[in-house]
Amino acid sequence: MQCPKCSGTFAHVQTPLGVIERCQDCGGLWFDVLEHQDLKAIAKSIDTGDKAMGIKYNEIKNILCPVCPNTRMLNMVDSRQTHIRFESCPGCHGRFYDAGEFTDFATLRITDVLKRFGLLRT
């Protein structure tokens, strides 16, 4: 599989909970449907890419799903942490997180909760 952001090659990464795909060039992560939920507990050990590079690649918005041919991925915002933007396929429901993004997604901070309830403004 090719990375939808940098066209690098995905490597299969064995985890205690199964295999995921990580781009060998930009460090982005591909998760099949609902895999991201199961792997939150080990996010730091699998999201090993350079966060600064992930921020750079997060600006790329118009990408195709690496699994579903010619399917444009949707730009999504996490409802609990609105600063996290990731891509999701409307066909297979896979998700792509740029380097550093999945670790951030897996870590809910008190400030995220306060923002959600309007008790803290950015």
Side-chain angles (χ1 to χ4, degrees), residues 73-112:
M73 294 187 69
L74 303 172
N75 298 310
M76 307 291 290
V77 176
D78 183 67
S79 63
R80 295 174 72 190
Q81 301 177 80
T82 56
H83 66 280
I84 298 175
R85 302 184 187 288
F86 60 94
E87 292 77 28
S88 180
C89 177
C92 69
H93 303 289
R95 287 185 174 201
F96 182 82
Y97 289 91
D98 295 294
E101 209 166 40
F102 185 62
T103 299
D104 193 6
F105 168 77
T107 308
L108 186 63
R109 295 176 180 84
I110 188 66
T111 54
D112 297 319

PDB file of all heavy atoms in Angstrom, residues 73-112:
ATOM      1  N   MET A  73     -10.884  10.729   0.426  1.00  0.00           N
ATOM      2  CA  MET A  73     -11.079  10.629   1.871  1.00  0.00           C
ATOM      3  C   MET A  73     -11.694  11.912   2.407  1.00  0.00           C
ATOM      4  O   MET A  73     -11.492  12.995   1.855  1.00  0.00           O
ATOM      5  CB  MET A  73      -9.758  10.304   2.565  1.00  0.00           C
ATOM      6  CG  MET A  73      -9.260   8.907   2.180  1.00  0.00           C
ATOM      7  SD  MET A  73      -7.821   8.373   3.098  1.00  0.00           S
ATOM      8  CE  MET A  73      -8.516   8.140   4.723  1.00  0.00           C
ATOM      9  N   LEU A  74     -12.447  11.779   3.493  1.00  0.00           N
ATOM     10  CA  LEU A  74     -13.101  12.916   4.141  1.00  0.00           C
ATOM     11  C   LEU A  74     -12.169  13.524   5.176  1.00  0.00           C
ATOM     12  O   LEU A  74     -11.496  12.794   5.916  1.00  0.00           O
ATOM     13  CB  LEU A  74     -14.389  12.464   4.820  1.00  0.00           C
ATOM     14  CG  LEU A  74     -15.427  11.779   3.934  1.00  0.00           C
ATOM     15  CD1 LEU A  74     -16.553  11.220   4.778  1.00  0.00           C
ATOM     16  CD2 LEU A  74     -15.937  12.741   2.889  1.00  0.00           C
ATOM     17  N   ASN A  75     -12.134  14.842   5.248  1.00  0.00           N
ATOM     18  CA  ASN A  75     -11.373  15.529   6.283  1.00  0.00           C
ATOM     19  C   ASN A  75     -12.253  15.590   7.523  1.00  0.00           C
ATOM     20  O   ASN A  75     -13.351  16.128   7.484  1.00  0.00           O
ATOM     21  CB  ASN A  75     -10.991  16.929   5.823  1.00  0.00           C
ATOM     22  CG  ASN A  75     -10.103  16.890   4.603  1.00  0.00           C
ATOM     23  OD1 ASN A  75      -9.107  16.175   4.587  1.00  0.00           O
ATOM     24  ND2 ASN A  75     -10.462  17.620   3.576  1.00  0.00           N
ATOM     25  N   MET A  76     -11.760  15.013   8.604  1.00  0.00           N
ATOM     26  CA  MET A  76     -12.554  14.870   9.823  1.00  0.00           C
ATOM     27  C   MET A  76     -11.924  15.652  10.978  1.00  0.00           C
ATOM     28  O   MET A  76     -10.727  15.905  10.980  1.00  0.00           O
ATOM     29  CB  MET A  76     -12.643  13.391  10.222  1.00  0.00           C
ATOM     30  CG  MET A  76     -13.119  12.467   9.122  1.00  0.00           C
ATOM     31  SD  MET A  76     -14.827  12.693   8.676  1.00  0.00           S
ATOM     32  CE  MET A  76     -15.640  12.049  10.110  1.00  0.00           C
ATOM     33  N   VAL A  77     -12.768  15.989  11.956  1.00  0.00           N
ATOM     34  CA  VAL A  77     -12.332  16.628  13.195  1.00  0.00           C
ATOM     35  C   VAL A  77     -12.852  15.761  14.333  1.00  0.00           C
ATOM     36  O   VAL A  77     -14.027  15.394  14.351  1.00  0.00           O
ATOM     37  CB  VAL A  77     -12.901  18.060  13.314  1.00  0.00           C
ATOM     38  CG1 VAL A  77     -12.533  18.678  14.652  1.00  0.00           C
ATOM     39  CG2 VAL A  77     -12.411  18.926  12.175  1.00  0.00           C
ATOM     40  N   ASP A  78     -11.973  15.432  15.276  1.00  0.00           N
ATOM     41  CA  ASP A  78     -12.401  14.634  16.423  1.00  0.00           C
ATOM     42  C   ASP A  78     -13.343  15.472  17.282  1.00  0.00           C
ATOM     43  O   ASP A  78     -13.024  16.606  17.638  1.00  0.00           O
ATOM     44  CB  ASP A  78     -11.185  14.185  17.236  1.00  0.00           C
ATOM     45  CG  ASP A  78     -11.577  13.293  18.382  1.00  0.00           C
ATOM     46  OD1 ASP A  78     -12.038  12.170  18.124  1.00  0.00           O
ATOM     47  OD2 ASP A  78     -11.441  13.732  19.545  1.00  0.00           O
ATOM     48  N   SER A  79     -14.506  14.928  17.620  1.00  0.00           N
ATOM     49  CA  SER A  79     -15.513  15.694  18.366  1.00  0.00           C
ATOM     50  C   SER A  79     -15.088  15.996  19.803  1.00  0.00           C
ATOM     51  O   SER A  79     -15.531  16.984  20.377  1.00  0.00           O
ATOM     52  CB  SER A  79     -16.848  14.953  18.370  1.00  0.00           C
ATOM     53  OG  SER A  79     -16.730  13.709  19.032  1.00  0.00           O
ATOM     54  N   ARG A  80     -14.233  15.180  20.382  1.00  0.00           N
ATOM     55  CA  ARG A  80     -13.795  15.410  21.758  1.00  0.00           C
ATOM     56  C   ARG A  80     -12.567  16.305  21.829  1.00  0.00           C
ATOM     57  O   ARG A  80     -12.311  16.934  22.853  1.00  0.00           O
ATOM     58  CB  ARG A  80     -13.500  14.076  22.434  1.00  0.00           C
ATOM     59  CG  ARG A  80     -14.764  13.226  22.571  1.00  0.00           C
ATOM     60  CD  ARG A  80     -14.462  11.862  23.092  1.00  0.00           C
ATOM     61  NE  ARG A  80     -14.119  11.952  24.499  1.00  0.00           N
ATOM     62  CZ  ARG A  80     -13.620  10.949  25.195  1.00  0.00           C
ATOM     63  NH1 ARG A  80     -13.405   9.789  24.623  1.00  0.00           N
ATOM     64  NH2 ARG A  80     -13.337  11.098  26.462  1.00  0.00           N
ATOM     65  N   GLN A  81     -11.785  16.326  20.742  1.00  0.00           N
ATOM     66  CA  GLN A  81     -10.557  17.113  20.694  1.00  0.00           C
ATOM     67  C   GLN A  81     -10.510  17.805  19.334  1.00  0.00           C
ATOM     68  O   GLN A  81      -9.924  17.295  18.399  1.00  0.00           O
ATOM     69  CB  GLN A  81      -9.338  16.214  20.863  1.00  0.00           C
ATOM     70  CG  GLN A  81      -9.337  15.441  22.175  1.00  0.00           C
ATOM     71  CD  GLN A  81      -8.153  14.513  22.264  1.00  0.00           C
ATOM     72  OE1 GLN A  81      -7.048  14.950  22.590  1.00  0.00           O
ATOM     73  NE2 GLN A  81      -8.352  13.246  21.967  1.00  0.00           N
ATOM     74  N   THR A  82     -11.139  18.937  19.251  1.00  0.00           N
ATOM     75  CA  THR A  82     -11.365  19.579  17.959  1.00  0.00           C
ATOM     76  C   THR A  82     -10.090  20.080  17.266  1.00  0.00           C
ATOM     77  O   THR A  82     -10.146  20.478  16.109  1.00  0.00           O
ATOM     78  CB  THR A  82     -12.371  20.736  18.101  1.00  0.00           C
ATOM     79  OG1 THR A  82     -11.886  21.654  19.089  1.00  0.00           O
ATOM     80  CG2 THR A  82     -13.738  20.226  18.505  1.00  0.00           C
ATOM     81  N   HIS A  83      -8.968  20.033  17.934  1.00  0.00           N
ATOM     82  CA  HIS A  83      -7.702  20.403  17.290  1.00  0.00           C
ATOM     83  C   HIS A  83      -7.125  19.244  16.472  1.00  0.00           C
ATOM     84  O   HIS A  83      -6.183  19.435  15.713  1.00  0.00           O
ATOM     85  CB  HIS A  83      -6.684  20.874  18.333  1.00  0.00           C
ATOM     86  CG  HIS A  83      -6.254  19.797  19.280  1.00  0.00           C
ATOM     87  ND1 HIS A  83      -7.029  19.422  20.359  1.00  0.00           N
ATOM     88  CD2 HIS A  83      -5.162  19.016  19.302  1.00  0.00           C
ATOM     89  CE1 HIS A  83      -6.417  18.448  21.013  1.00  0.00           C
ATOM     90  NE2 HIS A  83      -5.289  18.176  20.391  1.00  0.00           N
ATOM     91  N   ILE A  84      -7.706  18.056  16.619  1.00  0.00           N
ATOM     92  CA  ILE A  84      -7.206  16.880  15.890  1.00  0.00           C
ATOM     93  C   ILE A  84      -7.990  16.721  14.603  1.00  0.00           C
ATOM     94  O   ILE A  84      -9.206  16.588  14.605  1.00  0.00           O
ATOM     95  CB  ILE A  84      -7.316  15.607  16.754  1.00  0.00           C
ATOM     96  CG1 ILE A  84      -6.444  15.763  17.997  1.00  0.00           C
ATOM     97  CG2 ILE A  84      -6.921  14.381  15.933  1.00  0.00           C
ATOM     98  CD1 ILE A  84      -6.553  14.635  18.976  1.00  0.00           C
ATOM     99  N   ARG A  85      -7.248  16.739  13.500  1.00  0.00           N
ATOM    100  CA  ARG A  85      -7.841  16.587  12.166  1.00  0.00           C
ATOM    101  C   ARG A  85      -7.204  15.374  11.502  1.00  0.00           C
ATOM    102  O   ARG A  85      -5.984  15.296  11.421  1.00  0.00           O
ATOM    103  CB  ARG A  85      -7.610  17.848  11.349  1.00  0.00           C
ATOM    104  CG  ARG A  85      -8.202  19.065  12.053  1.00  0.00           C
ATOM    105  CD  ARG A  85      -8.106  20.333  11.257  1.00  0.00           C
ATOM    106  NE  ARG A  85      -8.524  21.496  12.007  1.00  0.00           N
ATOM    107  CZ  ARG A  85      -9.770  21.783  12.346  1.00  0.00           C
ATOM    108  NH1 ARG A  85     -10.734  20.979  12.019  1.00  0.00           N
ATOM    109  NH2 ARG A  85     -10.057  22.880  13.020  1.00  0.00           N
ATOM    110  N   PHE A  86      -8.034  14.456  11.063  1.00  0.00           N
ATOM    111  CA  PHE A  86      -7.560  13.236  10.429  1.00  0.00           C
ATOM    112  C   PHE A  86      -8.409  12.976   9.198  1.00  0.00           C
ATOM    113  O   PHE A  86      -9.351  13.710   8.923  1.00  0.00           O
ATOM    114  CB  PHE A  86      -7.635  12.056  11.412  1.00  0.00           C
ATOM    115  CG  PHE A  86      -9.026  11.768  11.903  1.00  0.00           C
ATOM    116  CD1 PHE A  86      -9.822  10.826  11.264  1.00  0.00           C
ATOM    117  CD2 PHE A  86      -9.550  12.444  12.992  1.00  0.00           C
ATOM    118  CE1 PHE A  86     -11.121  10.565  11.699  1.00  0.00           C
ATOM    119  CE2 PHE A  86     -10.844  12.184  13.439  1.00  0.00           C
ATOM    120  CZ  PHE A  86     -11.625  11.258  12.792  1.00  0.00           C
ATOM    121  N   GLU A  87      -8.077  11.950   8.437  1.00  0.00           N
ATOM    122  CA  GLU A  87      -8.827  11.613   7.235  1.00  0.00           C
ATOM    123  C   GLU A  87      -9.480  10.249   7.417  1.00  0.00           C
ATOM    124  O   GLU A  87      -8.899   9.351   8.021  1.00  0.00           O
ATOM    125  CB  GLU A  87      -7.898  11.596   6.014  1.00  0.00           C
ATOM    126  CG  GLU A  87      -7.367  12.957   5.626  1.00  0.00           C
ATOM    127  CD  GLU A  87      -6.235  13.463   6.506  1.00  0.00           C
ATOM    128  OE1 GLU A  87      -5.488  12.649   7.077  1.00  0.00           O
ATOM    129  OE2 GLU A  87      -6.118  14.694   6.651  1.00  0.00           O
ATOM    130  N   SER A  88     -10.692  10.128   6.869  1.00  0.00           N
ATOM    131  CA  SER A  88     -11.440   8.879   6.960  1.00  0.00           C
ATOM    132  C   SER A  88     -12.056   8.553   5.601  1.00  0.00           C
ATOM    133  O   SER A  88     -12.537   9.451   4.907  1.00  0.00           O
ATOM    134  CB  SER A  88     -12.549   9.013   8.012  1.00  0.00           C
ATOM    135  OG  SER A  88     -13.286   7.817   8.111  1.00  0.00           O
ATOM    136  N   CYS A  89     -12.050   7.273   5.252  1.00  0.00           N
ATOM    137  CA  CYS A  89     -12.610   6.844   3.973  1.00  0.00           C
ATOM    138  C   CYS A  89     -14.107   6.587   4.120  1.00  0.00           C
ATOM    139  O   CYS A  89     -14.521   5.847   5.022  1.00  0.00           O
ATOM    140  CB  CYS A  89     -11.912   5.581   3.489  1.00  0.00           C
ATOM    141  SG  CYS A  89     -12.622   4.935   1.952  1.00  0.00           S
ATOM    142  N   PRO A  90     -14.935   7.179   3.248  1.00  0.00           N
ATOM    143  CA  PRO A  90     -16.380   6.933   3.325  1.00  0.00           C
ATOM    144  C   PRO A  90     -16.765   5.527   2.870  1.00  0.00           C
ATOM    145  O   PRO A  90     -17.867   5.076   3.146  1.00  0.00           O
ATOM    146  CB  PRO A  90     -16.971   7.998   2.384  1.00  0.00           C
ATOM    147  CG  PRO A  90     -15.886   8.286   1.414  1.00  0.00           C
ATOM    148  CD  PRO A  90     -14.600   8.121   2.181  1.00  0.00           C
ATOM    149  N   GLY A  91     -15.845   4.837   2.213  1.00  0.00           N
ATOM    150  CA  GLY A  91     -16.134   3.481   1.738  1.00  0.00           C
ATOM    151  C   GLY A  91     -15.787   2.410   2.764  1.00  0.00           C
ATOM    152  O   GLY A  91     -16.653   1.726   3.299  1.00  0.00           O
ATOM    153  N   CYS A  92     -14.498   2.297   3.085  1.00  0.00           N
ATOM    154  CA  CYS A  92     -14.042   1.237   4.001  1.00  0.00           C
ATOM    155  C   CYS A  92     -13.990   1.704   5.454  1.00  0.00           C
ATOM    156  O   CYS A  92     -13.781   0.902   6.356  1.00  0.00           O
ATOM    157  CB  CYS A  92     -12.675   0.719   3.563  1.00  0.00           C
ATOM    158  SG  CYS A  92     -11.308   1.900   3.788  1.00  0.00           S
ATOM    159  N   HIS A  93     -14.138   3.004   5.695  1.00  0.00           N
ATOM    160  CA  HIS A  93     -14.105   3.618   7.032  1.00  0.00           C
ATOM    161  C   HIS A  93     -12.747   3.520   7.712  1.00  0.00           C
ATOM    162  O   HIS A  93     -12.643   3.655   8.926  1.00  0.00           O
ATOM    163  CB  HIS A  93     -15.211   3.059   7.930  1.00  0.00           C
ATOM    164  CG  HIS A  93     -16.567   3.237   7.344  1.00  0.00           C
ATOM    165  ND1 HIS A  93     -17.180   4.458   7.247  1.00  0.00           N
ATOM    166  CD2 HIS A  93     -17.408   2.337   6.757  1.00  0.00           C
ATOM    167  CE1 HIS A  93     -18.363   4.310   6.651  1.00  0.00           C
ATOM    168  NE2 HIS A  93     -18.515   3.041   6.338  1.00  0.00           N
ATOM    169  N   GLY A  94     -11.701   3.297   6.909  1.00  0.00           N
ATOM    170  CA  GLY A  94     -10.349   3.346   7.443  1.00  0.00           C
ATOM    171  C   GLY A  94      -9.992   4.778   7.795  1.00  0.00           C
ATOM    172  O   GLY A  94     -10.646   5.733   7.354  1.00  0.00           O
ATOM    173  N   ARG A  95      -8.953   4.936   8.615  1.00  0.00           N
ATOM    174  CA  ARG A  95      -8.518   6.266   9.047  1.00  0.00           C
ATOM    175  C   ARG A  95      -7.029   6.443   8.824  1.00  0.00           C
ATOM    176  O   ARG A  95      -6.256   5.496   8.992  1.00  0.00           O
ATOM    177  CB  ARG A  95      -8.782   6.475  10.535  1.00  0.00           C
ATOM    178  CG  ARG A  95     -10.221   6.660  10.885  1.00  0.00           C
ATOM    179  CD  ARG A  95     -10.351   6.978  12.356  1.00  0.00           C
ATOM    180  NE  ARG A  95     -11.724   7.301  12.701  1.00  0.00           N
ATOM    181  CZ  ARG A  95     -12.071   7.977  13.774  1.00  0.00           C
ATOM    182  NH1 ARG A  95     -11.157   8.392  14.632  1.00  0.00           N
ATOM    183  NH2 ARG A  95     -13.334   8.228  14.030  1.00  0.00           N
ATOM    184  N   PHE A  96      -6.651   7.672   8.494  1.00  0.00           N
ATOM    185  CA  PHE A  96      -5.239   8.013   8.376  1.00  0.00           C
ATOM    186  C   PHE A  96      -4.924   9.123   9.375  1.00  0.00           C
ATOM    187  O   PHE A  96      -5.602  10.142   9.417  1.00  0.00           O
ATOM    188  CB  PHE A  96      -4.893   8.492   6.955  1.00  0.00           C
ATOM    189  CG  PHE A  96      -3.437   8.806   6.793  1.00  0.00           C
ATOM    190  CD1 PHE A  96      -2.530   7.792   6.541  1.00  0.00           C
ATOM    191  CD2 PHE A  96      -2.968  10.103   6.929  1.00  0.00           C
ATOM    192  CE1 PHE A  96      -1.173   8.073   6.413  1.00  0.00           C
ATOM    193  CE2 PHE A  96      -1.622  10.391   6.807  1.00  0.00           C
ATOM    194  CZ  PHE A  96      -0.730   9.370   6.550  1.00  0.00           C
ATOM    195  N   TYR A  97      -3.901   8.886  10.182  1.00  0.00           N
ATOM    196  CA  TYR A  97      -3.403   9.886  11.134  1.00  0.00           C
ATOM    197  C   TYR A  97      -1.978  10.246  10.751  1.00  0.00           C
ATOM    198  O   TYR A  97      -1.145   9.358  10.534  1.00  0.00           O
ATOM    199  CB  TYR A  97      -3.395   9.333  12.565  1.00  0.00           C
ATOM    200  CG  TYR A  97      -4.762   9.155  13.166  1.00  0.00           C
ATOM    201  CD1 TYR A  97      -5.454   7.947  13.035  1.00  0.00           C
ATOM    202  CD2 TYR A  97      -5.366  10.179  13.878  1.00  0.00           C
ATOM    203  CE1 TYR A  97      -6.711   7.782  13.593  1.00  0.00           C
ATOM    204  CE2 TYR A  97      -6.623  10.020  14.448  1.00  0.00           C
ATOM    205  CZ  TYR A  97      -7.281   8.816  14.298  1.00  0.00           C
ATOM    206  OH  TYR A  97      -8.522   8.660  14.850  1.00  0.00           O
ATOM    207  N   ASP A  98      -1.691  11.541  10.673  1.00  0.00           N
ATOM    208  CA  ASP A  98      -0.322  11.983  10.423  1.00  0.00           C
ATOM    209  C   ASP A  98       0.536  11.681  11.650  1.00  0.00           C
ATOM    210  O   ASP A  98       0.019  11.483  12.757  1.00  0.00           O
ATOM    211  CB  ASP A  98      -0.310  13.487  10.129  1.00  0.00           C
ATOM    212  CG  ASP A  98      -1.044  13.817   8.845  1.00  0.00           C
ATOM    213  OD1 ASP A  98      -0.559  13.411   7.776  1.00  0.00           O
ATOM    214  OD2 ASP A  98      -2.115  14.453   8.915  1.00  0.00           O
ATOM    215  N   ALA A  99       1.853  11.656  11.462  1.00  0.00           N
ATOM    216  CA  ALA A  99       2.774  11.364  12.565  1.00  0.00           C
ATOM    217  C   ALA A  99       2.486  12.268  13.760  1.00  0.00           C
ATOM    218  O   ALA A  99       2.316  13.477  13.617  1.00  0.00           O
ATOM    219  CB  ALA A  99       4.215  11.544  12.094  1.00  0.00           C
ATOM    220  N   GLY A 100       2.395  11.679  14.931  1.00  0.00           N
ATOM    221  CA  GLY A 100       2.133  12.420  16.171  1.00  0.00           C
ATOM    222  C   GLY A 100       0.666  12.624  16.472  1.00  0.00           C
ATOM    223  O   GLY A 100       0.277  12.843  17.619  1.00  0.00           O
ATOM    224  N   GLU A 101      -0.165  12.527  15.466  1.00  0.00           N
ATOM    225  CA  GLU A 101      -1.594  12.801  15.615  1.00  0.00           C
ATOM    226  C   GLU A 101      -2.323  11.709  16.413  1.00  0.00           C
ATOM    227  O   GLU A 101      -3.215  12.004  17.204  1.00  0.00           O
ATOM    228  CB  GLU A 101      -2.194  12.906  14.214  1.00  0.00           C
ATOM    229  CG  GLU A 101      -3.386  13.778  14.068  1.00  0.00           C
ATOM    230  CD  GLU A 101      -3.662  14.070  12.604  1.00  0.00           C
ATOM    231  OE1 GLU A 101      -3.531  13.190  11.734  1.00  0.00           O
ATOM    232  OE2 GLU A 101      -4.022  15.231  12.342  1.00  0.00           O
ATOM    233  N   PHE A 102      -1.951  10.458  16.199  1.00  0.00           N
ATOM    234  CA  PHE A 102      -2.636   9.372  16.894  1.00  0.00           C
ATOM    235  C   PHE A 102      -2.317   9.382  18.390  1.00  0.00           C
ATOM    236  O   PHE A 102      -3.195   9.143  19.214  1.00  0.00           O
ATOM    237  CB  PHE A 102      -2.299   8.015  16.271  1.00  0.00           C
ATOM    238  CG  PHE A 102      -3.081   6.888  16.873  1.00  0.00           C
ATOM    239  CD1 PHE A 102      -4.465   6.851  16.779  1.00  0.00           C
ATOM    240  CD2 PHE A 102      -2.447   5.868  17.554  1.00  0.00           C
ATOM    241  CE1 PHE A 102      -5.196   5.813  17.347  1.00  0.00           C
ATOM    242  CE2 PHE A 102      -3.168   4.824  18.114  1.00  0.00           C
ATOM    243  CZ  PHE A 102      -4.543   4.805  18.012  1.00  0.00           C
ATOM    244  N   THR A 103      -1.088   9.699  18.738  1.00  0.00           N
ATOM    245  CA  THR A 103      -0.733   9.801  20.163  1.00  0.00           C
ATOM    246  C   THR A 103      -1.548  10.908  20.814  1.00  0.00           C
ATOM    247  O   THR A 103      -2.061  10.744  21.925  1.00  0.00           O
ATOM    248  CB  THR A 103       0.777  10.076  20.331  1.00  0.00           C
ATOM    249  OG1 THR A 103       1.504   8.982  19.763  1.00  0.00           O
ATOM    250  CG2 THR A 103       1.156  10.235  21.784  1.00  0.00           C
ATOM    251  N   ASP A 104      -1.697  12.019  20.121  1.00  0.00           N
ATOM    252  CA  ASP A 104      -2.511  13.128  20.623  1.00  0.00           C
ATOM    253  C   ASP A 104      -3.972  12.683  20.756  1.00  0.00           C
ATOM    254  O   ASP A 104      -4.627  12.943  21.763  1.00  0.00           O
ATOM    255  CB  ASP A 104      -2.385  14.323  19.691  1.00  0.00           C
ATOM    256  CG  ASP A 104      -2.933  15.611  20.272  1.00  0.00           C
ATOM    257  OD1 ASP A 104      -3.319  15.633  21.455  1.00  0.00           O
ATOM    258  OD2 ASP A 104      -2.980  16.610  19.537  1.00  0.00           O
ATOM    259  N   PHE A 105      -4.485  11.995  19.746  1.00  0.00           N
ATOM    260  CA  PHE A 105      -5.868  11.492  19.768  1.00  0.00           C
ATOM    261  C   PHE A 105      -6.107  10.561  20.958  1.00  0.00           C
ATOM    262  O   PHE A 105      -7.150  10.616  21.600  1.00  0.00           O
ATOM    263  CB  PHE A 105      -6.156  10.747  18.459  1.00  0.00           C
ATOM    264  CG  PHE A 105      -7.425   9.956  18.461  1.00  0.00           C
ATOM    265  CD1 PHE A 105      -8.652  10.583  18.322  1.00  0.00           C
ATOM    266  CD2 PHE A 105      -7.396   8.572  18.584  1.00  0.00           C
ATOM    267  CE1 PHE A 105      -9.828   9.852  18.322  1.00  0.00           C
ATOM    268  CE2 PHE A 105      -8.564   7.837  18.578  1.00  0.00           C
ATOM    269  CZ  PHE A 105      -9.778   8.474  18.448  1.00  0.00           C
ATOM    270  N   ALA A 106      -5.135   9.739  21.275  1.00  0.00           N
ATOM    271  CA  ALA A 106      -5.284   8.748  22.347  1.00  0.00           C
ATOM    272  C   ALA A 106      -5.173   9.354  23.744  1.00  0.00           C
ATOM    273  O   ALA A 106      -5.480   8.708  24.739  1.00  0.00           O
ATOM    274  CB  ALA A 106      -4.240   7.649  22.180  1.00  0.00           C
ATOM    275  N   THR A 107      -4.748  10.615  23.822  1.00  0.00           N
ATOM    276  CA  THR A 107      -4.535  11.274  25.106  1.00  0.00           C
ATOM    277  C   THR A 107      -5.561  12.389  25.282  1.00  0.00           C
ATOM    278  O   THR A 107      -5.434  13.458  24.691  1.00  0.00           O
ATOM    279  CB  THR A 107      -3.109  11.874  25.163  1.00  0.00           C
ATOM    280  OG1 THR A 107      -2.174  10.859  24.824  1.00  0.00           O
ATOM    281  CG2 THR A 107      -2.809  12.409  26.543  1.00  0.00           C
ATOM    282  N   LEU A 108      -6.567  12.146  26.085  1.00  0.00           N
ATOM    283  CA  LEU A 108      -7.582  13.156  26.367  1.00  0.00           C
ATOM    284  C   LEU A 108      -7.128  13.970  27.575  1.00  0.00           C
ATOM    285  O   LEU A 108      -6.901  13.429  28.654  1.00  0.00           O
ATOM    286  CB  LEU A 108      -8.932  12.502  26.647  1.00  0.00           C
ATOM    287  CG  LEU A 108     -10.114  13.441  26.820  1.00  0.00           C
ATOM    288  CD1 LEU A 108     -10.360  14.216  25.534  1.00  0.00           C
ATOM    289  CD2 LEU A 108     -11.357  12.656  27.200  1.00  0.00           C
ATOM    290  N   ARG A 109      -6.978  15.266  27.376  1.00  0.00           N
ATOM    291  CA  ARG A 109      -6.510  16.145  28.450  1.00  0.00           C
ATOM    292  C   ARG A 109      -7.692  16.872  29.089  1.00  0.00           C
ATOM    293  O   ARG A 109      -8.737  17.028  28.468  1.00  0.00           O
ATOM    294  CB  ARG A 109      -5.512  17.153  27.884  1.00  0.00           C
ATOM    295  CG  ARG A 109      -4.243  16.487  27.387  1.00  0.00           C
ATOM    296  CD  ARG A 109      -3.308  17.507  26.750  1.00  0.00           C
ATOM    297  NE  ARG A 109      -2.102  16.875  26.266  1.00  0.00           N
ATOM    298  CZ  ARG A 109      -1.990  16.280  25.077  1.00  0.00           C
ATOM    299  NH1 ARG A 109      -3.000  16.250  24.253  1.00  0.00           N
ATOM    300  NH2 ARG A 109      -0.862  15.719  24.710  1.00  0.00           N
ATOM    301  N   ILE A 110      -7.514  17.349  30.285  1.00  0.00           N
ATOM    302  CA  ILE A 110      -8.563  18.075  30.989  1.00  0.00           C
ATOM    303  C   ILE A 110      -8.964  19.318  30.195  1.00  0.00           C
ATOM    304  O   ILE A 110     -10.142  19.683  30.157  1.00  0.00           O
ATOM    305  CB  ILE A 110      -8.160  18.433  32.442  1.00  0.00           C
ATOM    306  CG1 ILE A 110      -9.345  19.012  33.216  1.00  0.00           C
ATOM    307  CG2 ILE A 110      -6.996  19.394  32.462  1.00  0.00           C
ATOM    308  CD1 ILE A 110     -10.466  18.057  33.468  1.00  0.00           C
ATOM    309  N   THR A 111      -8.010  19.950  29.513  1.00  0.00           N
ATOM    310  CA  THR A 111      -8.341  21.135  28.721  1.00  0.00           C
ATOM    311  C   THR A 111      -9.284  20.782  27.563  1.00  0.00           C
ATOM    312  O   THR A 111     -10.140  21.583  27.200  1.00  0.00           O
ATOM    313  CB  THR A 111      -7.078  21.821  28.167  1.00  0.00           C
ATOM    314  OG1 THR A 111      -6.307  20.867  27.443  1.00  0.00           O
ATOM    315  CG2 THR A 111      -6.253  22.424  29.288  1.00  0.00           C
ATOM    316  N   ASP A 112      -9.144  19.568  27.012  1.00  0.00           N
ATOM    317  CA  ASP A 112     -10.048  19.125  25.947  1.00  0.00           C
ATOM    318  C   ASP A 112     -11.476  19.014  26.466  1.00  0.00           C
ATOM    319  O   ASP A 112     -12.429  19.406  25.800  1.00  0.00           O
ATOM    320  CB  ASP A 112      -9.596  17.777  25.375  1.00  0.00           C
ATOM    321  CG  ASP A 112      -8.236  17.839  24.718  1.00  0.00           C
ATOM    322  OD1 ASP A 112      -7.967  18.837  24.014  1.00  0.00           O
ATOM    323  OD2 ASP A 112      -7.442  16.896  24.897  1.00  0.00           O
TER     324      ASP A 112
END
